[in-house]
Structures are given as C-alpha cells and as structure tokens.
Amino acid sequence: MTDRAATGRAATSAELLPFDPSEPLPALRRELATGPEGLSAREAARRLAVHGTNEVRRKARSSFARELVGQLVHPLALLLWAAAALAFVADLAVLGWAILAVIAVNAAFALLQERQAERAVETLARYLPEHALVVRDGEPLTVEVRDLVPGDVIVLAEGDKVPADARVTEGGVEVDLSMLTGESVPAERMAAAGLLGAPLLEEPNLVFSGTTCIEGQARAVVFATGHHTELGRIAALSQRTRREPSPLERQVKKVAWLIAGVATAMGVVFLVVGVAVGLPVTDSLMFAIGLLVANVPEGLLPTITLALAVGVRALARRGALVKRLSAVETLGSTSVICTDKTGTLTRNRMRLRAVWAVDHGEETGPWTQELVRAAALCTTVTRQADGELSGDPTEAALVAGAADHGAPVDLGRRDAGRRALFRFDPRLRLMTVVQDDDRAPGRTRIVVKGAPETVLTRLLPGADVDGARAAAEGLARRGMRVLAVAVRDVEPGSEPPSRRQDAESGLTLLGLVGLYDPPRPEVAEAVRRCHEAGVRVHVVTGDNGATAATVAREVGIGVPRLEVVPASESLGDDELDRLLTGDDAEIVFARSSPETKLKVADALRAHGRIVAMTGDGVNDAPALHRAHIGVAMGRSGTDVAREAAAMVLTDDDFATIVTAVESGRRVYDNVRKFIVYIFAHATPEIVPFLVFALSAGAVPLPLTVLQILAIDLGTETLPALALGRERSEPGIMQRPPRPRHQGVISRDMLVRSWGYLGLVSAALVMAGFFYVLWRAGWQPGDPTGTGSPLHDAYVTATTATFAGIVTCQVGTAFAARTDHAALRDIGVFSNRLLLAGIAFELAFTAALVYAPPLQDLFGTAALPLDVVLLVATFPVLVWGTDELRRARRRRQRTSSVGGS
C-alpha cells in the first residue's frame, strides 16, 4: 500500500486504476515498465492487445423488440388499444385506425428518447484528439490516439489536447480543466511531487484526456487509457444512471388506469342495469360500448403533447431547446435547482476587478494606470479581425482592464517593442517580458507578473512584503484571482538579460491586480424570481468555496442564509442529508466531483425534491442525466453535456430557467384544465341513462349511442386541445412548487367536474329534453317508439339533449380556462384556438341536426327556434355558475389570509 493510500483518504478513481499515478515517479515507471525513451513499437502493439484501444466505449444496446413492447404495454397505450378495439366493434374503422396511429407515433417518440444516454457516451469520444505525438523506440512519432497504451511517453505543447490520462515527467504546462472541474482559471501541471491526500484532479503533476494545454511544453507518461480515464469513468457513470419517468409521466399512468377502471365499471354496470330494466340485450350492449368509448380520453395524449409542444416553442423563442417534451412540465414542478458556477451564474470571462498599488492601496490615480498598463504589456494575447481578444482568458482580462482604466495597450506596438519573452512557467508561476517603453523612448523595462507569493520573493530588499501579502489575501477572500506585477528598468546602453533568473530578480513591486469572473447581470433577478416561486438554488461547482460563495452572494443565492461546504467531495451521506433537510439555507458545494453531483441529486430525490441540475462540462453529464431535469449550456457547454441534458439553454442565460419553470407550471395547469373539461361532460351523459333506468323505462332514453359518440369523438376534441394553449393565470409564480405527492387529479377537480359543472349541465340538458316532450303532451310511460304519435317529438327531444350537451361543453370550456382567477383576468377572447374549436363544434352540431343524411344516421331532427334559444343560454349558465363559485372561493381565501 502506498503512503497516499495509508492516509485514509476517501476512495477515488485512483484506487480503481490498474496503475497508481500518485506513486513516486521511479516506482510508477517500474510498474508501467517504461522509461524516458518510451516503449518499443513491438511492446506497444502487445499492450494494445491487452489493454484495448484508447476509446470511450458504450454498453451494448438493449433489445429493440423489448423496448418496443415496453412502450406498447404502457398503461395509456393499453387504454388506447382498448379504445381502438371498441371503435372497431362500433363499426368506426376510421377512428380505430387513427388511434392505432397515435399508439405507433407515441411508441416511436419514446424509443428515440431512450437513446439519449448512448448518444451522450458517444459524444465523449469527440473530446479526444485524433493523433498524438508519442515517443516510441526513443524517437518522436505521430500515432492515432486510439493506439495509445499505458506506459507510452507523450509530448504535449501549447494548443494540444491531452490524449490520455498521464503523469508529467518533464517540463510544465497550463491546462484548461474546466470541462472536468468547472474552474475557469487554467491549472498548472508540472513535473513535481504530488500533494499528500489530494484528489486526482488536484494533483499538480497529472493531466487528463480531453483537456487542453493552453501554454507550456511537457512530456508525460500515460497511466490510463480508454474506460480507465476520467472521461471513461464519467461515461460509465452516465450509462449507470437511468432516466426515471417525469412526474407528469407517472401521473398520466395513474390517470389512464383510473379512467380505464371507471369506464369499464360503468359499462358493465349499465349493461347489467339495462338488461334488468327490460332493455334489449343488443341495445344494452351498444349503450355500454358507447359509454366505454365516451369515457376513453382519446384526446388525452394529443392534448398533453400539444400543451408540452406549446411550451417547447415558447421556450425556443426565449433561448431554450427542450429535447424531451415532458421536461417542460418537470421544470414546472421543480423545487430545487442545482447550478454550476462557471459559465452558468458567471460569464466564463475573467475581468479586472480590483487594483492595489504600492503606497496607494486601492485608490485610483496615475499609479493605477502604470500598474494596469505594465500588466497588459506582460501578455501574449492577440486581437482577431472582429476585434475580439484571442488567447489566455486571464491575459485578455488584463488587456481589456488596462483599456478600461485609460491605459490601453496597442498589441502590435507591444510585439514590435518586445526584446525578450519568458513564457509563463507553471513551476515558477511567473511570466516575464523585456519591453521597450513606447511612452519613454530609450527606456527598456522588465515586467514580471505572477503569483504574489512568488513575485514577492524577488523584490529588492526593504520592500513592504507584509503589506502586499496582506492585501493579496484580502483580495483573495473577495473571490478574486490575484496577480502581482513588478518591474525593473534595464540600464541604458546595456543588453537585456538573456537568462530568466537574471531578469526575474531585483524587482520593484508596482502592485496587485484582482481578476474576477463576474456574474451574468440577469442572474440576480432570475434568482429572486426562483425564491418568489419557492424554488431553492444550490451551487454545485468544482471551484473553490470562497470564489463560489462570493458569486452566490452577489446574485442573491443564500437568502436568508448561505452555507458553504469547502470540500464537498468528502461529504458523507449523513452530513449531506443534514444539510439538505435542514432549514431553508442555500448551499455552495465547492470542490465537487462528478460523484458529488450525483450524490447531491440522489439525496435531494430521496427527500422528495424535484431536482433541476445545470451544467456545461463533461463532468456534469452524469448528474444532468440523473436529475429530474438536466439543463445544459448551449454556447459554452460541451457536446457531452448537451447530449445528456433534457434542455439546452441556447443563450446560456440562467434567467431562461425561470421562464421554463413558469412555462412548466402553465403546462401542468393546462393538463388539469383539460381533465376538468373531459370529466365534466361525463355527468350529463350518464344522468340521462340513470333517469331511464331508475324510471324503469317510463322515461325514454334521452340520448342515443351514436349521439354520445358524436359528442365525444366529434365536438369535444378541438376545444380540449385548445385548452393546452391557455396562458398562465395571474400569480402562477407566487405560489410554491406543488407537493410531489399531489396527483394530477385532485378531489377538488372531481367535485368541480362532476359536482358543479357536470350537475349543472345535466340539469340543463334534462330540462331541455323534458321541455320538448311536455310541450308535445307527453306523460311518463307514454310510448315514443317508431310509429307512435310522440315519436317525432321524442326524436326532437333527444336532439335537444344532444345539442344541450354540446352547448354545455362550450360553457365548460370557458369555465375550465381558469382554476382560481376570473375569466376577465386572462382575457375572454385571448385563446383564439379555443374560439376556433368552439366554432367547429357548433358547425358540426348544426350539420348533424339539420343535414338530412346525418339526421338519418344519428337519429336527429331539426330543432324549432324556441328550443334553439333555450339551449343557447346553456353556455352562459354553466360558465356563470362556475364563475360565481370561483369568486366565492377567492373571497374566502382573501378573508382567511386577512384574518391570519
């Protein structure tokens, strides 16, 4: 066991690797059986056969047939199968084939979603370069990356992508690890001893596949390839995490089973009752089939799909691409957002935030301009044709900061006046230039910038080192990256120093610069809206705690209290549970690993939270896939994150998440409105048969089977679909997230549908039925069959019942548009699709009532004017009674709030 393992640190991927990269270099080389000259070509070929190719592999796909069967036996699919079968039994073949087409489209769409994780894993391979420079048989050789093996010695230079996980053995490089760690500041990797107890990603001598070398040169020995690399481990995590059904998907299953049970029971009961009261068996069977078909919500899936699609289109216009429709609703039920810092809360752009000058502190003046100009001269960034700076983000921040302080640097003149350049050395943590001063002809100045602790050791004797060190610590506590800038003038007429150690000594400190990755300006308002909506925001980042906490406080995260976990990777499950189930504090999880993000997501899920996880790096992919809703950055994000996520913010705007939350809540509300609408019509369809059954046939059937089918399959569909287009009700973002256990169908919804809207509609349509019969002189028990004197009146009466139900549907549609608010608050005519749907159902009803061919088919008759005027009042009566009920409930709620 190595000393490092003996320290008892938490198990990381180091313990799972075939070779331990934390060993002393001689021991690692012995274990890898390699040396500075690399492997022989023959040995490399042998190891390739043993270890396999350096590729991210994916698991074998599951059986297509099994996945297809799984989709076809979904509860809603089974319900649709039953509806199709009943449609064929009722000799409605066109409807039957249409329902089968809906089943096929739904199954195909679901199957496409199952491939998301596999695409995410495949995309990981794009982060590996195609070729690498490797030392074989003592000679540099370019080989395909897939042919690298443990023990290979690779050569890294500025701009290279690291082809495999490796230990630096010579030189040093600055590496962009943001895709793995989330930190925007490049990391220094050099041939040096390791840090006792440090996680692999923080080891100063390790580089990882897929990351990019920004500066420097180095040689490194490969210790892990393929699925043993950090990328491979993340790919394995992505494959092990399965996407669970969204809350809406689970609720739809429950609704499907409920409706199936109710419809089946209703059909059986009415079949038995019909036969018991003397109705012919054939008629009873047809009526039972009609009730079954009437209660099967053929429009449920299309309506939900339309409601989600509307949300998708709205979000696309606001900068979000939703890859899975149910993700829109899931965002609406989100109670916790776990967000990355870099590129999500911040712009992923370093900015010059503070300047501290010797003898002047943070006061501004000519000394400030001298300091920032000197720092900008000690850079190598270039300016592109479009004016954008290209190069190291820290140096770009220095050049931009100098211009902001009134001391711009002409990059062309900078390069023309440069006498010598000593590039940034990650071991020394210094960069130095020897520069002709264009503002003082004849003067040549050495400018050094770097880590304060390094620069301060190279000052002239007598410098106030303690004061500068205290100032550097103060800037660091404010979440800034601090650089010290020092200078030395070259004696006139003398040659500039040719050796680095000669240039970087005897310096005079000009001061310190503090660099900061600023928050996006719109994030603070977005966080405030999250809090208003009852959504907590946690920061889960690979950055250090001080920096992340500073950004969190600036954007308003941590109201009323912010708790910072500086080393979240070492968090145990008990401590994590305590943090997440405690008071209403928001948390910064700093120095997090991919496993940490997964642990946080799993812990929140275990405690009943609906979790949205944002991120942009490869390291975020498993957590994005595991969370209820993964949100990836589109511009700054990696392909891996975009593939793993359910939603991509194309503008990288955190505020779009809040828009998505509102859209998701609206979608859920609209699904419930649709359910209220379809449930409400069941009562006026059932009551006529109950009247017939309870009167033992003394009252003839007020409705025929074909008329029921015409209502449910003809007049109802378009208005139901239109309810999926409703706008948000006022105050939708001032209410807390709905409880996880809340069903899409509630007791209040059933009372409203069957009790208020349904009973009012049933009373009205029965009144219309009896009005026509009594006007014709009918008395209970009088014959109304074919050939009887009252037969024409009976046909007209059933037509009045049919038309009455349709007009009651119109009133129900307007009533269902709001759950709490008054209709005027959302606009009576704001839903144009609903108006078009109502126009269609009225025209369809008129055709059935007045067109002779349809009269013969559906058993209808032309309605006289007085009956038309009577049923024309039904929409207003249905909507009006519900509007009064909602007004009374609003007054009760207001009085209860005022009393409390």
Side-chain angles (χ1 to χ4, degrees), residues 570-589:
S570 61
L571 269 180
D573 289 341
D574 292 342
E575 179 65 12
L576 186 59
D577 289 342
R578 183 194 66 78
L579 287 169
L580 295 176
T581 59
D583 56 19
D584 53 357
E586 292 179 319
I587 306 166
V588 171
F589 294 96

Side-chain angles (χ1 to χ4, degrees), residues 512-639:
L512 308 169
V513 291
L515 298 165
Y516 189 57
D517 186 6
R520 296 175 177 273
E522 67 277 1
V523 170
E525 173 63 17
V527 170
R528 186 193 64 78
R529 293 191 65 199
C530 283
H531 292 161
E532 196 173 58
V535 179
R536 296 172 69 181
V537 183
H538 301 314
V539 180
V540 188
T541 177
D543 217 334
N544 73 58
T547 302
T550 300
V551 172
R553 291 189 179 97
E554 284 200 21
V555 299
I557 296 174
V559 176
R561 186 171 67 85
L562 182 69
E563 185 158 345
V564 181
V565 181
S568 59
E569 188 175 10
S570 61
L571 269 180
D573 289 341
D574 292 342
E575 179 65 12
L576 186 59
D577 289 342
R578 183 194 66 78
L579 287 169
L580 295 176
T581 59
D583 56 19
D584 53 357
E586 292 179 319
I587 306 166
V588 171
F589 294 96
R591 298 302 187 195
S592 63
S593 65
E595 290 87 353
T596 307
K597 291 194 171 187
L598 279 176
K599 285 171 62 177
V600 170
D602 283 336
L604 287 167
R605 292 176 68 113
H607 293 295
R609 308 292 196 272
I610 302 298
V611 185
M613 179 75 71
T614 72
D616 57 2
V618 173
N619 61 313
D620 296 322
L624 291 176
H625 189 68
R626 175 60 176 159
H628 289 101
I629 170 71
V631 185
M633 302 298 111
R635 290 182 179 175
S636 62
T638 61
D639 289 344

Side-chain angles (χ1 to χ4, degrees), residues 415-740:
D415 294 342
R418 182 159 291 168
R419 305 283 295 276
L421 167 64
F422 301 102
R423 290 185 177 274
F424 179 80
D425 187 326
R427 293 165 295 183
L428 299 175
R429 305 183 70 187
L430 293 175
M431 175 182 174
T432 301
V433 295
V434 182
Q435 197 79 30
D436 286 341
D437 192 340
D438 59 351
R439 293 191 174 184
R443 185 173 77 171
T444 299
R445 169 171 277 192
I446 300 170
V447 183
V448 180
K449 80 173 192 305
E453 58 269 26
T454 305
V455 174
L456 294 179
T457 63
R458 288 163 168 77
L459 300 181
L460 288 169
D464 183 11
V465 174
D466 291 339
R469 186 175 291 114
E473 291 174 354
L475 294 176
R477 282 195 299 270
R478 287 156 58 184
M480 297 182 219
R481 184 189 185 193
V482 184
L483 296 176
V485 181
V487 297
R488 188 180 91 224
D489 290 335
V490 178
E491 292 289 338
S494 63
E495 289 294 322
S498 58
R499 297 193 309 167
R500 182 168 206 144
Q501 56 267 39
D502 295 335
E504 296 171 345
S505 61
L507 303 173
T508 300
L509 183 68
L510 291 182
L512 308 169
V513 291
L515 298 165
Y516 189 57
D517 186 6
R520 296 175 177 273
E522 67 277 1
V523 170
E525 173 63 17
V527 170
R528 186 193 64 78
R529 293 191 65 199
C530 283
H531 292 161
E532 196 173 58
V535 179
R536 296 172 69 181
V537 183
H538 301 314
V539 180
V540 188
T541 177
D543 217 334
N544 73 58
T547 302
T550 300
V551 172
R553 291 189 179 97
E554 284 200 21
V555 299
I557 296 174
V559 176
R561 186 171 67 85
L562 182 69
E563 185 158 345
V564 181
V565 181
S568 59
E569 188 175 10
S570 61
L571 269 180
D573 289 341
D574 292 342
E575 179 65 12
L576 186 59
D577 289 342
R578 183 194 66 78
L579 287 169
L580 295 176
T581 59
D583 56 19
D584 53 357
E586 292 179 319
I587 306 166
V588 171
F589 294 96
R591 298 302 187 195
S592 63
S593 65
E595 290 87 353
T596 307
K597 291 194 171 187
L598 279 176
K599 285 171 62 177
V600 170
D602 283 336
L604 287 167
R605 292 176 68 113
H607 293 295
R609 308 292 196 272
I610 302 298
V611 185
M613 179 75 71
T614 72
D616 57 2
V618 173
N619 61 313
D620 296 322
L624 291 176
H625 189 68
R626 175 60 176 159
H628 289 101
I629 170 71
V631 185
M633 302 298 111
R635 290 182 179 175
S636 62
T638 61
D639 289 344
V640 179
R642 289 191 288 267
E643 289 288 351
M647 187 174 84
V648 179
L649 302 183
T650 58
D651 54 4
D652 286 12
D653 190 347
F654 182 85
T656 307
I657 298 175
V658 184
T659 303
V661 169
E662 179 176 359
S663 181
R665 292 185 177 190
R666 178 172 62 87
V667 165
Y668 186 80
D669 284 354
N670 288 347
V671 170
R672 302 186 86 187
K673 292 170 185 176
F674 161 76
I675 292 174
V676 166
Y677 176 74
I678 63 170
F679 274 36
H681 82 261
T683 304
E685 289 182 1
I686 294 170
V687 165
F689 185 78
L690 287 177
V691 171
F692 165 76
L694 294 175
S695 68
V699 176
L701 274 172
L703 201 61
T704 68
V705 173
L706 286 181
Q707 288 169 356
I708 288 179
L709 294 175
I711 292 169
D712 292 293
L713 305 177
T715 65
E716 176 188 79
T717 305
L718 286 182
L721 293 174
L723 288 173
R725 297 286 300 271
E726 277 301 328
R727 61 176 59 181
S728 301
E729 287 192 48
I732 192 172
M733 290 298 286
Q734 278 73 51
R735 68 190 192 212
R738 69 178 184 272
R740 187 181 184 184

Side-chain angles (χ1 to χ4, degrees), residues 260-333:
V262 170
T264 304
M266 195 179 297
V268 171
V269 169
F270 289 151
L271 175 63
V272 173
V273 172
V275 174
V277 298
L279 197 67
V281 175
T282 303
D283 291 348
S284 296
L285 180 61
M286 285 299 296
F287 200 88
I289 291 174
L291 286 174
L292 283 170
V293 174
N295 282 282
V296 171
E298 293 86 358
L300 179 61
L301 186 61
T303 299
I304 292 174
T305 303
L306 176 65
L308 296 172
V310 169
V312 167
R313 288 195 294 271
L315 289 174
R317 290 192 294 268
R318 298 292 297 272
L321 172 64
V322 177
K323 298 161 59 181
R324 191 173 68 244
L325 289 181
S326 61
V328 178
E329 183 276 335
T330 308
L331 268 166
S333 59

